[in-house]
Amino acid sequence: MGTRTTISVLFLMLIALHSPIHANPIKTIVVIVMENRSFDHMLGWMKRINPEVNGVDGSEANPLSTTDPNSKRFFFKNESHYVDPDPGHSFQAIREQIFGSDNTSADPPPMNGFAQQAFSMDNTTNMSQDVMNGFNPDMVAVYKTLVSEFAVCDRWFASVPSSTQPNRLYVHSGTSAGATSNIPALLAKGYPQRTIFESVDDAGISFGIYYQNIPATLFYRNLRKLKYITKFHLYDTFKSHAKQGKLPGYTVVEQRYFDVKIAPANDDHPSHDVFQGQMFVKEVYETLRASPQWNDTLLIITYDEHGGFYDHVATPVHGVPSPDGIVGPEPFLFRFDRLGVRVPTIMVSPWIEKGTERHKLLISHYIICHALNLSALLSNNHMSKGI
């Protein structure tokens, strides 16, 4: 399912959910987009908790050199903790991670170049070990509990095989408008595409963006219009709005993307400590759980891209439609016809049956499962007791 389809499904779902004749209990969708971690790195070892999750068992490996049959191999471990420096996640780095070389013809791709690409950045093999490592579930205890009690999506892929901002642009608009890298001048200018924010606003559905140090959603040029200024709120307002039952229908909660004197970053982007990210997600969840809107809420926790960390599931490289026909810039001239690496996604709602996993449908790009998939997640007859 392509991003433009995904965004359209979400928009139509929001319209339906706010219809007085619609029986679906979800009235508020809350979205968190964390940073730069793959599914296997964060959630792969959750397979021990739920064998239905398409995770890891330790047999997965990458060679240090994809062209040397006798190369040293790095097996995937469960010993990750603090990662520094930041692994490679540029367009060309990800191409090597997915295909093992510059040749992108393999279908499915071998996903065998992660250790090799990391070694090209750090010849001590320390980074190669970092990218071939995941978290023991007890080290990400908030996710361990949410995965056990709610739903995990294990066929959710980044929008673009590239870095942060192209993927973040896809999240709320279904396109990066041709971006395949983080270009400060273009981000400062703002990207021109229409977003879901304008669509829901035009449909009479409220939206709100709650931020901590900067709202990355302002990289959408249209959100800089004066009429949207009241849609942006500091993070503490999220907590007060939730307590008062005043959260908008489409709510985005942004993290601290960089350290400040009074508080460290909590977005999970290396070298930021995932402990801070766990505390952030926990606080958002508990805030929603205590809100009078809890019984009407779906919380989606996902990631923009994989950040250079290994994932064993082959990324889709065919049947991916371009959202708008735009071709990316030189030298790659990318046609947006394949996806990025799989990323963690957890869905939380009192209407999701405990321990649900979704992998029957491919979920590409971001925001929400296919309408049929979501219907399978949400059941009026099964209310999870939560945590």
Side-chain angles (χ1 to χ4, degrees), residues 62-74 100 112 115-116 119:
N62 259 201
L64 194 61
S65 171
T66 60
T67 59
D68 179 1
N70 299 313
S71 173
K72 176 181 179 180
R73 295 176 67 79
F74 291 82
N112 65 349
Q116 173 181 280
F119 187 68

Side-chain angles (χ1 to χ4, degrees), residues 120-188:
S120 72
M121 297 176 63
D122 174 14
N123 62 11
T124 68
T125 74
N126 287 339
M127 185 178 291
S128 296
Q129 295 176 61
D130 282 344
V131 301
M132 295 300 297
N133 215 340
F135 284 94
N136 185 303
D138 289 335
M139 292 291 290
V140 282
V142 174
Y143 285 171
K144 177 184 177 181
T145 305
L146 294 179
V147 166
S148 299
E149 296 290 337
F150 298 103
V152 60
C153 294
D154 60 9
R155 291 285 292 169
W156 200 292
F157 295 85
S159 312
V160 192
S162 188
S163 51
T164 289
Q165 296 307 333
N167 281 287
R168 283 194 166 268
L169 288 169
Y170 258 90
V171 173
H172 306 290
S173 72
T175 179
S176 68
T180 57
S181 62
N182 304 334
I183 301 176
L186 294 180
L187 292 169

